Amino acid sequence: WVPESDVVVAQNRNSLCIWYSIDTPDRVSVFPIRGDVEDIERVDGRTEVVVNEGVNTVSYALDEGLIEFGTAIEDGDYERAVNFLEKLDPTAEAEAMWKKLSSLSLRDRQLRIAERCFAALGDVAKARFLRKMNRVADQTEEDSDGRHRGVDHYQVKARLAALNKSFKTAEGVYVEQGRVDEAIEMYQLLHQWDKAI
């Protein structure tokens, strides 16, 4: 492991293998090397893998932006993670990181970050759905002069549950608020006529 990150470095015979996102083990960066990996050093904002080639020692620099993403995620600083990802070229590793950030931001109900992630991934339907939820959340906060968090509004909770395919939870939120008509409408939109009844 690279210290203070979720990046994994390994050696496979004459190859240096780097996983910038451990959640996607099929997305690996591979570089040819001669010799054996001896150490990983993080000094002054640089991370290097030290390889002993017998007579001399060679250092291979790792992508600090990709490493910093993992650190931002661990710190729960999703905005910092977005800033790092926006600077990256569209690669398989970057896409995996956008996906990871999207799921974490949905889990933590940071809907603006989730909207940005799905837009970056090209998932227009989810990005639009989240934009609508963000409007409801913003309106709730504005109407209450900031006394109520918008993500706690029943429509946001129900729609977020529906987005996660937890339709029974969404139904429960609607029914709890006395909004049975909205629960029925949700099932009709899903073409689940038997549940709408």
Side-chain angles (χ1 to χ4, degrees):
W1 294 91
V2 173
E4 300 172 20
S5 76
D6 67 347
V7 177
V8 175
V9 175
Q11 181 175 357
N12 179 13
R13 296 184 191 196
N14 292 329
S15 298
L16 177 64
C17 304
I18 305 163
W19 290 269
Y20 287 104
S21 177
I22 196 64
D23 293 333
T24 52
D26 57 323
R27 306 263 169 104
V28 60
S29 299
V30 181
F31 302 97
I33 60 171
R34 295 184 197 135
D36 295 321
V37 173
E38 281 193 343
D39 196 13
I40 300 170
E41 297 176 349
R42 285 194 91 176
V43 179
D44 298 329
R46 287 184 46 90
T47 305
E48 296 180 337
V49 177
V50 179
V51 177
N52 183 350
E53 292 185 344
V55 177
N56 36 337
T57 302
V58 178
S59 295
Y60 293 86
L62 301 182
D63 189 326
E64 201 60 40
L66 296 177
I67 293 171
E68 196 59 38
F69 170 80
T71 305
I73 291 293
E74 279 185 26
D75 294 346
D77 190 349
Y78 297 162
E79 287 190 30
R80 191 171 93 205
V82 166
N83 290 337
F84 284 118
L85 289 177
E86 287 176 336
K87 295 174 188 172
L88 298 178
D89 292 328
T91 63
E93 290 89 3
E95 182 180 340
M97 289 181 204
W98 279 113
K99 286 180 182 177
K100 180 177 183 173
L101 184 57
S102 70
S103 67
L104 291 172
S105 58
L106 277 177
R107 181 197 71 196
D108 295 345
R109 298 190 311 170
Q110 293 195 22
L111 303 182
R112 293 213 183 288
I113 301 290
E115 178 186 343
R116 175 64 188 99
C117 292
F118 286 113
L121 290 166
D123 192 335
V124 177
K126 281 187 181 174
R128 287 187 62 200
F129 188 80
L130 287 163
R131 173 156 296 168
K132 288 177 185 177
M133 283 199 314
N134 281 323
R135 286 185 187 141
V136 170
D138 291 345
Q139 189 64 47
T140 299
E141 287 185 17
E142 186 177 308
D143 291 348
S144 69
D145 293 324
R147 290 187 315 268
H148 300 290
R149 289 184 42 200
V151 294
D152 292 332
H153 189 272
Y154 82 93
Q155 284 185 334
V156 174
K157 286 181 175 180
R159 290 177 183 178
L160 192 55
L163 182 64
N164 290 322
K165 295 182 173 82
S166 183
F167 303 117
K168 278 292 185 194
T169 303
E171 176 187 345
V173 171
Y174 285 131
V175 171
E176 190 177 284
Q177 294 294 318
R179 305 293 184 146
V180 176
D181 55 330
E182 292 183 48
I184 292 170
E185 184 181 335
M186 173 188 71
Y187 283 123
Q188 287 174 340
L189 287 171
L190 296 167
H191 301 286
Q192 294 185 6
W193 308 111
D194 55 328
K195 292 182 181 174
I197 297 172

